[in-house]
Amino acid sequence: MNENKPGASQNLACVFCRKNDDCPNKYGEKKTNEKWNLTVHYYCLLMSSGIWQRGKEEEGVYGFLIEDIRKEVNRASKLKCCVCKKNGASIGCVAPRCKRSYHFPCGLQRECIFQFTGNFASFCWTHRPVQIITSNNYRDSLPCTICLEFIEPIPTYNILRSPCCKNAWFHRDCLQVQAINAGVFFFRCTVCNNSDIFQKEMLRMGIHIPEKDASWELEENAYQELLQHYEHCDVRRCRCKEGRDYNAPDSKWEIKRCQCCGSSGTHLACSSLRSWEQNWECSECRGILYNSEDFQKAKKHTLPNTNSVGITDCLLEESSPKLPRQSPGAQHKDLLRQGSKFRRDVSTIMMELGFQIKKKTKRLWINKTNIWNSALDGFRNQHFNPSYTIEIAYVSENDNFGIEHPGSKQEFLSLLMQHLENSPVFEGSLSKNLSLNSQALKENLYYEAGRILAISLVHGGPSPGFFSKTLFNCLVYGPENTQPILDDVSDFDVAQILIRVNTATNVADLNSIVNECYNYLELIGCLRLITSLSDKYMLAKDILVYHVIKRVQAPFESFKQGLKTLGVLEKIQTYPEVFYSIFCHKPENLSAKILSDLFTVRALSDVQALGFWNSYLQAVEDGKSAITMEDILIFATGCSSIPPAGFKPTPSIECLHMDFPVGNKCNNCLALPITNTYQEFQENMDFAIRNTLRLEKEESSHYIGH
């Protein structure tokens, strides 16, 4: 949209209300399109009864097309405002049989209510919603919990009560200003901090809650002073001639922060640290770490009296009662976000990422007998752009005619994710970490794995669900702020060393273990002098950090770079609580209700067949069929779970006169057979789905692991 320079539109009148007022809190932002010589107030445009947002956000004015705005202005020119008696009343009361029309400012003047949600309904002063208070036990005035000015606790147009706190009352104007400043992510009850119930009621009563971040979050360099790293040498004798505040990166005078509290530091040379990677604790944390009663008397897990101990038979004890902290700035941001979690869900974030996808298409020719290499060839092609719309065409080496078969993008991405989970770039059984594979590193497969994962998520692929919590935390908070656990170790020999170290009962046993593993510990840089039994905790921690994090530093950095594709890593780091479930947990099991709600019914469908369909879903959920819910979804869409970005197009069902069901994975459409009895319907569904998936499994079994 072409906007005037600041202040240039102040004297131009809104085409709807004919007022030149520029008051964002009352009328919304005022915008002028120079090309079409058109000025509007956002709320006047939004609440007009005969116009809808048909364009994208950047088209026209806020997504409202210019031609639509002109048609609405023409329609409103024939309607007289019941308040000011002038033409141009584009807003009408939605109450049945109510004929009142008015301008937006006139509606505010007469205390109409405009709901900035759903269908953006407006109500005149007669039919507006009200807050009903069953009993009023307040004899005295109460303060508005925002401005603290005393008000009569009686619900009126200008006085509103919180739906979640009976003693919380507000001025309408105070609430509106707070909503605009806080935005949908931070607007909540000032007493109990409830957001869901509170926002729902405030929207009903006509408070506009913009879908934006809080104004204080949008300020340039907000909290900049809190994001500074601690840079001061706190050891008793600082050896630096330049002073305690001198910090020279990549030298012996670089300042290293305490790994536990982060609020104390030392020059490397002042504490005889050989490199920045070495851990360092300040004297206070070290005292807590080694001298606390809880630490000295930590509970031990009993083990069978045998030399062969299973990895899962014990857990590595915590080496420190304190966890690594983030920087003060990150902590402050987290505190702001914990209450609201930014009110973001997966679908909203994926929708934002999906806006990058252009209409221009890129076709990938995929050979199902070698889907991984086919995908790599396509993604590495110099003409491939991850923001292009992906089309899939399956080809076969045995087909001499080179015939292409249109394929389902989501099925392709599902197969690709299956391969990625079992590829050599990851190690572990269920919760996986990055492996150290020299061939994969040489072929740059860690980068490609990260890129493929990012592309898959944005383009509608399934959630990974196989990351370990440690790997996820490394991506979000950094390896230096992540502490691995024993479950992260997939190497049996290393796990046995860790278990033996952790279960040592005296210094002699611990020294014996160190002597046995001397060459290994020296090789990985974890050899240390054992003077007390408590040294075993730091020894075990050093081994863990090396094996899980430092050993795979090069693969991790490469994988991380690939995951930055399409801004996915940035979103993960911004909303870790949302992405954690996607990366570290498998999707929830499908139910009859989930599938029933997922599939839309096409018009003119057979009523009896639809009844059989719902009964069939319930029978599958109850275990009365050899088919599973996941089988049905794979048969229709190629996916065994609902992708984080959702299905495109939306899955649908139709009823056709045929004997067996047909799944169209390209269109996510399931054609149901029309039968005379339910038993025949179930038998035909079971037979078709079972045999189709069996043939596909046999066809793909030899290339999933390639």
Side-chain angles (χ1 to χ4, degrees), residues 470-496:
T470 297
L471 176 55
F472 183 79
N473 286 343
C474 284
L475 290 170
V476 175
Y477 307 112
E480 68 278 4
N481 293 319
T482 302
Q483 178 58 52
I485 60 175
L486 182 61
D487 288 342
D488 293 319
V489 180
S490 58
D491 188 305
F492 182 81
D493 294 332
V494 176
Q496 288 297 309

PDB file of all heavy atoms in Angstrom, residues 470-496:
ATOM      1  N   THR A 470      17.961 -33.325  24.816  1.00  0.00           N
ATOM      2  CA  THR A 470      19.294 -32.704  24.803  1.00  0.00           C
ATOM      3  C   THR A 470      19.582 -32.051  23.463  1.00  0.00           C
ATOM      4  O   THR A 470      20.048 -30.906  23.404  1.00  0.00           O
ATOM      5  CB  THR A 470      20.366 -33.760  25.118  1.00  0.00           C
ATOM      6  OG1 THR A 470      20.155 -34.266  26.439  1.00  0.00           O
ATOM      7  CG2 THR A 470      21.754 -33.161  25.017  1.00  0.00           C
ATOM      8  N   LEU A 471      19.308 -32.753  22.367  1.00  0.00           N
ATOM      9  CA  LEU A 471      19.539 -32.178  21.041  1.00  0.00           C
ATOM     10  C   LEU A 471      18.671 -30.955  20.825  1.00  0.00           C
ATOM     11  O   LEU A 471      19.133 -29.931  20.298  1.00  0.00           O
ATOM     12  CB  LEU A 471      19.263 -33.226  19.960  1.00  0.00           C
ATOM     13  CG  LEU A 471      19.371 -32.753  18.501  1.00  0.00           C
ATOM     14  CD1 LEU A 471      20.725 -32.122  18.222  1.00  0.00           C
ATOM     15  CD2 LEU A 471      19.105 -33.907  17.539  1.00  0.00           C
ATOM     16  N   PHE A 472      17.417 -31.027  21.260  1.00  0.00           N
ATOM     17  CA  PHE A 472      16.514 -29.884  21.105  1.00  0.00           C
ATOM     18  C   PHE A 472      17.015 -28.688  21.912  1.00  0.00           C
ATOM     19  O   PHE A 472      17.023 -27.555  21.423  1.00  0.00           O
ATOM     20  CB  PHE A 472      15.103 -30.277  21.547  1.00  0.00           C
ATOM     21  CG  PHE A 472      14.084 -29.185  21.359  1.00  0.00           C
ATOM     22  CD1 PHE A 472      13.533 -28.931  20.110  1.00  0.00           C
ATOM     23  CD2 PHE A 472      13.681 -28.402  22.428  1.00  0.00           C
ATOM     24  CE1 PHE A 472      12.604 -27.921  19.933  1.00  0.00           C
ATOM     25  CE2 PHE A 472      12.751 -27.388  22.268  1.00  0.00           C
ATOM     26  CZ  PHE A 472      12.215 -27.148  21.009  1.00  0.00           C
ATOM     27  N   ASN A 473      17.438 -28.921  23.157  1.00  0.00           N
ATOM     28  CA  ASN A 473      17.945 -27.829  23.994  1.00  0.00           C
ATOM     29  C   ASN A 473      19.216 -27.216  23.416  1.00  0.00           C
ATOM     30  O   ASN A 473      19.449 -26.012  23.544  1.00  0.00           O
ATOM     31  CB  ASN A 473      18.201 -28.322  25.415  1.00  0.00           C
ATOM     32  CG  ASN A 473      16.911 -28.542  26.186  1.00  0.00           C
ATOM     33  OD1 ASN A 473      15.857 -28.044  25.798  1.00  0.00           O
ATOM     34  ND2 ASN A 473      16.977 -29.287  27.263  1.00  0.00           N
ATOM     35  N   CYS A 474      20.054 -28.037  22.785  1.00  0.00           N
ATOM     36  CA  CYS A 474      21.261 -27.501  22.138  1.00  0.00           C
ATOM     37  C   CYS A 474      20.879 -26.538  21.030  1.00  0.00           C
ATOM     38  O   CYS A 474      21.508 -25.480  20.851  1.00  0.00           O
ATOM     39  CB  CYS A 474      22.105 -28.639  21.571  1.00  0.00           C
ATOM     40  SG  CYS A 474      23.043 -29.568  22.801  1.00  0.00           S
ATOM     41  N   LEU A 475      19.842 -26.860  20.265  1.00  0.00           N
ATOM     42  CA  LEU A 475      19.391 -25.991  19.175  1.00  0.00           C
ATOM     43  C   LEU A 475      18.802 -24.695  19.707  1.00  0.00           C
ATOM     44  O   LEU A 475      18.992 -23.631  19.135  1.00  0.00           O
ATOM     45  CB  LEU A 475      18.350 -26.713  18.318  1.00  0.00           C
ATOM     46  CG  LEU A 475      18.851 -27.879  17.458  1.00  0.00           C
ATOM     47  CD1 LEU A 475      17.685 -28.633  16.860  1.00  0.00           C
ATOM     48  CD2 LEU A 475      19.773 -27.371  16.358  1.00  0.00           C
ATOM     49  N   VAL A 476      18.077 -24.789  20.822  1.00  0.00           N
ATOM     50  CA  VAL A 476      17.362 -23.616  21.345  1.00  0.00           C
ATOM     51  C   VAL A 476      18.269 -22.747  22.216  1.00  0.00           C
ATOM     52  O   VAL A 476      18.334 -21.529  22.035  1.00  0.00           O
ATOM     53  CB  VAL A 476      16.116 -24.059  22.143  1.00  0.00           C
ATOM     54  CG1 VAL A 476      15.435 -22.848  22.785  1.00  0.00           C
ATOM     55  CG2 VAL A 476      15.138 -24.782  21.233  1.00  0.00           C
ATOM     56  N   TYR A 477      18.959 -23.360  23.172  1.00  0.00           N
ATOM     57  CA  TYR A 477      19.703 -22.590  24.168  1.00  0.00           C
ATOM     58  C   TYR A 477      21.213 -22.622  23.962  1.00  0.00           C
ATOM     59  O   TYR A 477      21.945 -21.896  24.637  1.00  0.00           O
ATOM     60  CB  TYR A 477      19.381 -23.114  25.578  1.00  0.00           C
ATOM     61  CG  TYR A 477      17.905 -23.157  25.864  1.00  0.00           C
ATOM     62  CD1 TYR A 477      17.239 -24.369  26.011  1.00  0.00           C
ATOM     63  CD2 TYR A 477      17.160 -21.984  25.981  1.00  0.00           C
ATOM     64  CE1 TYR A 477      15.874 -24.418  26.268  1.00  0.00           C
ATOM     65  CE2 TYR A 477      15.802 -22.023  26.239  1.00  0.00           C
ATOM     66  CZ  TYR A 477      15.166 -23.241  26.383  1.00  0.00           C
ATOM     67  OH  TYR A 477      13.824 -23.282  26.630  1.00  0.00           O
ATOM     68  N   GLY A 478      21.682 -23.471  23.051  1.00  0.00           N
ATOM     69  CA  GLY A 478      23.111 -23.575  22.799  1.00  0.00           C
ATOM     70  C   GLY A 478      23.720 -24.742  23.560  1.00  0.00           C
ATOM     71  O   GLY A 478      23.293 -25.051  24.680  1.00  0.00           O
ATOM     72  N   PRO A 479      24.725 -25.411  22.978  1.00  0.00           N
ATOM     73  CA  PRO A 479      25.376 -26.549  23.647  1.00  0.00           C
ATOM     74  C   PRO A 479      25.984 -26.180  24.990  1.00  0.00           C
ATOM     75  O   PRO A 479      26.005 -26.993  25.907  1.00  0.00           O
ATOM     76  CB  PRO A 479      26.463 -26.967  22.645  1.00  0.00           C
ATOM     77  CG  PRO A 479      26.008 -26.431  21.324  1.00  0.00           C
ATOM     78  CD  PRO A 479      25.278 -25.168  21.627  1.00  0.00           C
ATOM     79  N   GLU A 480      26.452 -24.933  25.109  1.00  0.00           N
ATOM     80  CA  GLU A 480      27.112 -24.533  26.353  1.00  0.00           C
ATOM     81  C   GLU A 480      26.126 -24.436  27.512  1.00  0.00           C
ATOM     82  O   GLU A 480      26.532 -24.430  28.686  1.00  0.00           O
ATOM     83  CB  GLU A 480      27.839 -23.200  26.171  1.00  0.00           C
ATOM     84  CG  GLU A 480      26.937 -21.987  25.955  1.00  0.00           C
ATOM     85  CD  GLU A 480      26.469 -21.840  24.518  1.00  0.00           C
ATOM     86  OE1 GLU A 480      26.785 -22.728  23.693  1.00  0.00           O
ATOM     87  OE2 GLU A 480      25.793 -20.834  24.205  1.00  0.00           O
ATOM     88  N   ASN A 481      24.832 -24.337  27.235  1.00  0.00           N
ATOM     89  CA  ASN A 481      23.818 -24.241  28.284  1.00  0.00           C
ATOM     90  C   ASN A 481      23.001 -25.525  28.413  1.00  0.00           C
ATOM     91  O   ASN A 481      21.909 -25.509  28.972  1.00  0.00           O
ATOM     92  CB  ASN A 481      22.874 -23.068  28.004  1.00  0.00           C
ATOM     93  CG  ASN A 481      23.568 -21.727  28.123  1.00  0.00           C
ATOM     94  OD1 ASN A 481      24.361 -21.533  29.036  1.00  0.00           O
ATOM     95  ND2 ASN A 481      23.294 -20.820  27.211  1.00  0.00           N
ATOM     96  N   THR A 482      23.525 -26.624  27.886  1.00  0.00           N
ATOM     97  CA  THR A 482      22.786 -27.886  27.891  1.00  0.00           C
ATOM     98  C   THR A 482      23.587 -28.964  28.610  1.00  0.00           C
ATOM     99  O   THR A 482      24.784 -29.105  28.378  1.00  0.00           O
ATOM    100  CB  THR A 482      22.491 -28.349  26.446  1.00  0.00           C
ATOM    101  OG1 THR A 482      21.748 -27.324  25.774  1.00  0.00           O
ATOM    102  CG2 THR A 482      21.682 -29.631  26.446  1.00  0.00           C
ATOM    103  N   GLN A 483      22.924 -29.695  29.484  1.00  0.00           N
ATOM    104  CA  GLN A 483      23.574 -30.789  30.204  1.00  0.00           C
ATOM    105  C   GLN A 483      23.004 -32.125  29.729  1.00  0.00           C
ATOM    106  O   GLN A 483      21.829 -32.405  29.923  1.00  0.00           O
ATOM    107  CB  GLN A 483      23.344 -30.646  31.717  1.00  0.00           C
ATOM    108  CG  GLN A 483      23.940 -31.779  32.536  1.00  0.00           C
ATOM    109  CD  GLN A 483      25.440 -31.946  32.325  1.00  0.00           C
ATOM    110  OE1 GLN A 483      26.191 -30.983  32.441  1.00  0.00           O
ATOM    111  NE2 GLN A 483      25.873 -33.155  32.015  1.00  0.00           N
ATOM    112  N   PRO A 484      23.818 -32.971  29.090  1.00  0.00           N
ATOM    113  CA  PRO A 484      23.334 -34.277  28.628  1.00  0.00           C
ATOM    114  C   PRO A 484      23.051 -35.222  29.803  1.00  0.00           C
ATOM    115  O   PRO A 484      23.479 -34.980  30.934  1.00  0.00           O
ATOM    116  CB  PRO A 484      24.490 -34.803  27.764  1.00  0.00           C
ATOM    117  CG  PRO A 484      25.453 -33.670  27.617  1.00  0.00           C
ATOM    118  CD  PRO A 484      25.225 -32.751  28.758  1.00  0.00           C
ATOM    119  N   ILE A 485      22.345 -36.305  29.504  1.00  0.00           N
ATOM    120  CA  ILE A 485      22.076 -37.333  30.501  1.00  0.00           C
ATOM    121  C   ILE A 485      22.531 -38.686  29.948  1.00  0.00           C
ATOM    122  O   ILE A 485      22.875 -38.797  28.766  1.00  0.00           O
ATOM    123  CB  ILE A 485      20.587 -37.390  30.880  1.00  0.00           C
ATOM    124  CG1 ILE A 485      19.741 -37.709  29.638  1.00  0.00           C
ATOM    125  CG2 ILE A 485      20.140 -36.093  31.523  1.00  0.00           C
ATOM    126  CD1 ILE A 485      18.264 -37.916  29.943  1.00  0.00           C
ATOM    127  N   LEU A 486      22.510 -39.700  30.792  1.00  0.00           N
ATOM    128  CA  LEU A 486      23.004 -41.013  30.395  1.00  0.00           C
ATOM    129  C   LEU A 486      22.231 -41.583  29.212  1.00  0.00           C
ATOM    130  O   LEU A 486      22.797 -42.259  28.351  1.00  0.00           O
ATOM    131  CB  LEU A 486      22.932 -41.972  31.587  1.00  0.00           C
ATOM    132  CG  LEU A 486      23.461 -43.389  31.348  1.00  0.00           C
ATOM    133  CD1 LEU A 486      24.929 -43.357  30.985  1.00  0.00           C
ATOM    134  CD2 LEU A 486      23.227 -44.258  32.570  1.00  0.00           C
ATOM    135  N   ASP A 487      20.925 -41.309  29.148  1.00  0.00           N
ATOM    136  CA  ASP A 487      20.107 -41.836  28.053  1.00  0.00           C
ATOM    137  C   ASP A 487      20.562 -41.326  26.691  1.00  0.00           C
ATOM    138  O   ASP A 487      20.184 -41.891  25.659  1.00  0.00           O
ATOM    139  CB  ASP A 487      18.638 -41.474  28.265  1.00  0.00           C
ATOM    140  CG  ASP A 487      18.016 -42.268  29.407  1.00  0.00           C
ATOM    141  OD1 ASP A 487      18.604 -43.294  29.781  1.00  0.00           O
ATOM    142  OD2 ASP A 487      16.964 -41.852  29.924  1.00  0.00           O
ATOM    143  N   ASP A 488      21.338 -40.251  26.663  1.00  0.00           N
ATOM    144  CA  ASP A 488      21.817 -39.699  25.392  1.00  0.00           C
ATOM    145  C   ASP A 488      22.969 -40.520  24.811  1.00  0.00           C
ATOM    146  O   ASP A 488      23.343 -40.306  23.655  1.00  0.00           O
ATOM    147  CB  ASP A 488      22.284 -38.246  25.585  1.00  0.00           C
ATOM    148  CG  ASP A 488      21.136 -37.317  25.921  1.00  0.00           C
ATOM    149  OD1 ASP A 488      20.065 -37.472  25.323  1.00  0.00           O
ATOM    150  OD2 ASP A 488      21.314 -36.446  26.785  1.00  0.00           O
ATOM    151  N   VAL A 489      23.539 -41.409  25.597  1.00  0.00           N
ATOM    152  CA  VAL A 489      24.701 -42.183  25.155  1.00  0.00           C
ATOM    153  C   VAL A 489      24.221 -43.479  24.520  1.00  0.00           C
ATOM    154  O   VAL A 489      23.640 -44.339  25.194  1.00  0.00           O
ATOM    155  CB  VAL A 489      25.646 -42.486  26.331  1.00  0.00           C
ATOM    156  CG1 VAL A 489      26.841 -43.294  25.854  1.00  0.00           C
ATOM    157  CG2 VAL A 489      26.105 -41.183  26.978  1.00  0.00           C
ATOM    158  N   SER A 490      24.470 -43.641  23.239  1.00  0.00           N
ATOM    159  CA  SER A 490      24.060 -44.864  22.542  1.00  0.00           C
ATOM    160  C   SER A 490      25.202 -45.882  22.460  1.00  0.00           C
ATOM    161  O   SER A 490      24.961 -47.046  22.167  1.00  0.00           O
ATOM    162  CB  SER A 490      23.574 -44.523  21.128  1.00  0.00           C
ATOM    163  OG  SER A 490      24.584 -43.869  20.384  1.00  0.00           O
ATOM    164  N   ASP A 491      26.437 -45.448  22.713  1.00  0.00           N
ATOM    165  CA  ASP A 491      27.584 -46.350  22.699  1.00  0.00           C
ATOM    166  C   ASP A 491      27.607 -47.141  24.011  1.00  0.00           C
ATOM    167  O   ASP A 491      27.751 -46.571  25.099  1.00  0.00           O
ATOM    168  CB  ASP A 491      28.875 -45.540  22.542  1.00  0.00           C
ATOM    169  CG  ASP A 491      30.101 -46.421  22.327  1.00  0.00           C
ATOM    170  OD1 ASP A 491      30.339 -47.308  23.165  1.00  0.00           O
ATOM    171  OD2 ASP A 491      30.806 -46.215  21.314  1.00  0.00           O
ATOM    172  N   PHE A 492      27.458 -48.462  23.908  1.00  0.00           N
ATOM    173  CA  PHE A 492      27.351 -49.297  25.105  1.00  0.00           C
ATOM    174  C   PHE A 492      28.592 -49.202  25.985  1.00  0.00           C
ATOM    175  O   PHE A 492      28.497 -49.119  27.215  1.00  0.00           O
ATOM    176  CB  PHE A 492      27.112 -50.754  24.685  1.00  0.00           C
ATOM    177  CG  PHE A 492      26.936 -51.686  25.849  1.00  0.00           C
ATOM    178  CD1 PHE A 492      25.718 -51.789  26.493  1.00  0.00           C
ATOM    179  CD2 PHE A 492      28.004 -52.462  26.299  1.00  0.00           C
ATOM    180  CE1 PHE A 492      25.551 -52.654  27.567  1.00  0.00           C
ATOM    181  CE2 PHE A 492      27.848 -53.324  27.376  1.00  0.00           C
ATOM    182  CZ  PHE A 492      26.619 -53.422  28.017  1.00  0.00           C
ATOM    183  N   ASP A 493      29.782 -49.215  25.388  1.00  0.00           N
ATOM    184  CA  ASP A 493      31.026 -49.180  26.163  1.00  0.00           C
ATOM    185  C   ASP A 493      31.157 -47.880  26.948  1.00  0.00           C
ATOM    186  O   ASP A 493      31.557 -47.884  28.116  1.00  0.00           O
ATOM    187  CB  ASP A 493      32.225 -49.364  25.239  1.00  0.00           C
ATOM    188  CG  ASP A 493      32.262 -50.753  24.608  1.00  0.00           C
ATOM    189  OD1 ASP A 493      31.745 -51.697  25.241  1.00  0.00           O
ATOM    190  OD2 ASP A 493      32.791 -50.882  23.483  1.00  0.00           O
ATOM    191  N   VAL A 494      30.824 -46.765  26.298  1.00  0.00           N
ATOM    192  CA  VAL A 494      30.897 -45.475  26.991  1.00  0.00           C
ATOM    193  C   VAL A 494      29.878 -45.424  28.124  1.00  0.00           C
ATOM    194  O   VAL A 494      30.160 -44.924  29.223  1.00  0.00           O
ATOM    195  CB  VAL A 494      30.664 -44.315  25.994  1.00  0.00           C
ATOM    196  CG1 VAL A 494      30.630 -42.979  26.731  1.00  0.00           C
ATOM    197  CG2 VAL A 494      31.744 -44.302  24.927  1.00  0.00           C
ATOM    198  N   ALA A 495      28.688 -45.962  27.861  1.00  0.00           N
ATOM    199  CA  ALA A 495      27.660 -45.979  28.903  1.00  0.00           C
ATOM    200  C   ALA A 495      28.113 -46.800  30.105  1.00  0.00           C
ATOM    201  O   ALA A 495      27.857 -46.429  31.264  1.00  0.00           O
ATOM    202  CB  ALA A 495      26.358 -46.542  28.337  1.00  0.00           C
ATOM    203  N   GLN A 496      28.795 -47.914  29.860  1.00  0.00           N
ATOM    204  CA  GLN A 496      29.296 -48.743  30.959  1.00  0.00           C
ATOM    205  C   GLN A 496      30.334 -47.997  31.788  1.00  0.00           C
ATOM    206  O   GLN A 496      30.350 -48.101  33.021  1.00  0.00           O
ATOM    207  CB  GLN A 496      29.906 -50.031  30.393  1.00  0.00           C
ATOM    208  CG  GLN A 496      28.887 -51.022  29.844  1.00  0.00           C
ATOM    209  CD  GLN A 496      27.944 -51.531  30.931  1.00  0.00           C
ATOM    210  OE1 GLN A 496      28.373 -51.972  31.985  1.00  0.00           O
ATOM    211  NE2 GLN A 496      26.662 -51.442  30.664  1.00  0.00           N
TER     212      GLN A 496
END
